[in-house]
Structure formats: structure tokens, C-alpha cells
Amino acid sequence: MQEHENIFEAFLAEKGLKFTLPRKLILDTVFGLHEHFDAEQLYDLIHRVSKEVSRATVYRTLPLLVEAGLIQRSVRSESRDTFEHIWGHPRHAHWVCKVCGSVHETDMQDAVRILQAKARAQNFSLTEINLTLTGICWKCQNHATESQ
Amino acid sequence: MQEHENIFEAFLAEKGLKFTLPRKLILDTVFGLHEHFDAEQLYDLIHRVSKEVSRATVYRTLPLLVEAGLIQRSVRSESRDTFEHIWGHPRHAHWVCKVCGSVHETDMQDAVRILQAKARAQNFSLTEINLTLTGICWKCQNHATESQ
DNA sequence: TGTGAAATGAGATTCATTCTCAATAAGGAT
DNA sequence: ATCCTTATTGAGAATGAATCTCATTTCACA
Ligand SMILES: [Mn+2]
Ligand SMILES: [Mn+2]
Ligand SMILES: [Zn+2]
Ligand SMILES: [Zn+2]
């Protein structure tokens, strides 16, 4: 059994909930992915493997995974909520280009340290950090320059 | 004429758009507010003063204000997009308590400096910073302790 | 005052997400 | 193994924020 399964099972047990097959399938698919994803993409992916999980269960399970600290909401893409796993992944910031829509990631350990100190100072028990930087990427700036 | 009006008018002119009465009403209401708001709240507020602005125009104007750099999307509240003005306001981080839902703000000039340096280093033209920290506030932690 | 483009309002539409509820599955107790 | 209670599920209906449509109005400028 993989560690994220242990974590989720323990989390569910704590709340008197069951580690069912649909929940296991969803969890494993999420941790088999290494990109941001939304509920619909996840539902499609699971369906390639098995027809066992309904859309409703996908939508119901995602908030449980968030609560368990395994995933977090990420940059909202168009009109959909997106997620990414955080368990086992370093904190990173998202740089969103408002021209081409690309999303880059960078390390943010230095900023994280500052924020964690701030959280301690005000007695805030910090679990998620969501840092999104919006602007124009270097590629799109170059395009703008060329076309002048 | 207030400065945000000048900025918006210049922005619109640049794009061949007009600084109309509905847009002016929306802008002034936004800058008369000093809290986070969503489109519906804004629409209601404007309606107390005048029946001149439709819901559609509110929804259409908000992205223009974002593009003009006057407001930005903020912490998503329930299912609605929320906004806050940024022009004339220092950057701040949002601390969201996942128990009571409260949203606190703190200064983040130090983190901003780090991020701006990072943006320069990778040639990213940075216009918006959105930093949301999720966890449990000190009040809710105390409640949890008391009830044990 | 006339012209063309931009803007608007009312309401229809979209579509991601949540909800409902009857049917199942889990798993502890006996 | 069988009961029993409670959690879970799937299918589809419902919700509702946001967007779109399009006929009408306003604007800027000549
Ligand atoms: Mn990411
Ligand atoms: Mn704020
Ligand atoms: Zn770009
Ligand atoms: Zn709280």
C-alpha cells in the first residue's frame, strides 16, 4: 500500500468514513497524475480504466482529499476549479501569463519560510499556501516587441 | 475628477472604448467600497443609488477594471468570484480560516520584494500577486482546545 | 444633425457544481 | 453466516454564477 493510501485511509477512519473502491480509484488516479487537473479531467481518466466511478463521486471525493491535506486547489482555469497534489511535492508558486495563458512553476522555499514565521507569530496553523503571480511571460513580451 | 477615474478613462481611450455613465458609476462604487466584493453585491449597491446599471454591465466592466490594473480577483468566496481594488492599496496576503471562514489580511512587502526580484530575473512582467494562506485561526484553535 | 461604432439591458443560455433519493455496499455485532 | 445500521453510490435533476444574444440606445466626432 502506498503512503498516500495510508494517509487517506487514516483520515477517513478518523471521521468514521470508509475507504471504498471508488475513493481508492480516485486517489490513485490523482497520484498517478503529475499535472494540475480538474474534476472532469479526472473523471475522464478514471473512465479509461474503469467505469466504476461516477462524476458525483469524483466531485464528492475531491474536497475530502483537500481536507486530508493530500491535494489543494490550484490556479482556476477558465471556469473550472483545478487541483494538484501537494503531498510529497515542494511548495511552488504559479506564474500565469495573461496573454498566452501559460502557467509556470517556481520554487518558493524562501517565501515559505517567511510566511511560516509569520503564521507562527500570529498563532495561525498554516496548512495551504496558494501563491499566484499574474503578468506577461518573456515570450509574450518578445512578441509584442517584434510586432512594433 | 478622482485619480482612479483618470486612470480608467485613459485605459479605455487607449483601447478605443468610452468612459460611459454606467462605467463611471461602477468604478466609483468600487472605489467607495473598502472590502472585498462580488459582482452581485456591487450590482445591489449601485442599485440603491440608481437603477441605471444592469447586471450584465457590471459583469462586463469588472474584467476591464482588472485589465486596467485598478482591481484584482481576490479570495474566492463560496462559489462567487470576488474582487478588491489594488490601486492605492498596499499588497497584502489573505489568511483564510477553514473553520470559521474569516479572512484576515497582513502586510507582505517583504515577500513582495523577493517575488519582484524573481520576476525580474526571469523577465516576467509582474502585475498581480495573489497570496492566500489557508489554515486555522487562533480563535478556532482555542475553541478546539477548550472543548477537549 | 447625421453616421458608424460602441455600449447597454433584459432575458435566454451555458455549464460547472451540488443536490436528491432510491438502491448498494460496508463492516460490526450476534 | 446473517442481521442491522449507517455510509456510499450513481443517475439525473436542480442550481446559479457568469456569459451571451440581439434589438435598442448612446456616444464621439464631423
Ligand atoms: Mn502547481
Ligand atoms: Mn484583501
Ligand atoms: Zn505568455
Ligand atoms: Zn477561525
Side-chain angles (χ1 to χ4, degrees), chain B residues 39-90:
Chain B
E40 198 64 25
Q41 291 170 334
L42 185 55
Y43 173 71
D44 288 346
L45 267 173
I46 294 170
H47 258 223
R48 286 193 206 149
V49 174
S50 149
K51 297 251 173 276
E52 296 304 315
V53 182
S54 74
R55 188 176 272 102
T57 298
V58 170
Y59 275 100
R60 282 192 280 236
T61 303
L62 287 170
L64 292 174
L65 293 173
V66 170
E67 210 185 330
L70 291 165
I71 67 176
Q72 76 174 204
R73 271 161 216 281
S74 181
V75 181
R76 207 176 152 75
S77 153
E78 298 170 25
S79 54
R80 294 177 178 181
D81 282 351
T82 69
F83 301 84
E84 63 185 332
H85 42 228
I86 53 177
W87 187 84
H89 285 259

Side-chain angles (χ1 to χ4, degrees), chain A residues 4 10 14 18-19 26 43 58 62 66 69 80 84 86 89 91-92 123 129 132 141 148:
Chain A
H4 52 257
E14 174 85 13
K18 295 162 188 172
F19 189 44
I26 291 166
Y43 173 72
V58 169
L62 286 169
V66 171
R80 294 177 177 182
E84 62 185 333
I86 52 177
H89 285 258
R91 307 289 193 189
H92 56 269
N123 252 309
I129 302 177
T132 304
Q141 287 179 66
Q148 272 167 12

Side-chain angles (χ1 to χ4, degrees), chain A residues 59-99:
Chain A
Y59 275 100
R60 281 191 282 236
T61 303
L62 286 169
L64 292 173
L65 292 174
V66 171
E67 208 185 332
L70 290 165
I71 68 175
Q72 77 174 206
R73 268 162 217 281
S74 182
V75 181
R76 207 175 150 73
S77 154
E78 296 168 28
S79 54
R80 294 177 177 182
D81 282 350
T82 68
F83 300 84
E84 62 185 333
H85 42 230
I86 52 177
W87 187 83
H89 285 258
R91 307 289 193 189
H92 56 269
H94 293 119
W95 301 77
V96 180
C97 174
K98 64 174 113 179
V99 174

Side-chain angles (χ1 to χ4, degrees), chain A residues 129-142:
Chain A
I129 302 177
N130 216 304
L131 174 56
T132 304
L133 302 137
T134 308
I136 304 177
C137 73
W138 68 270
K139 282 191 185 177
C140 290
Q141 287 179 66
N142 286 355

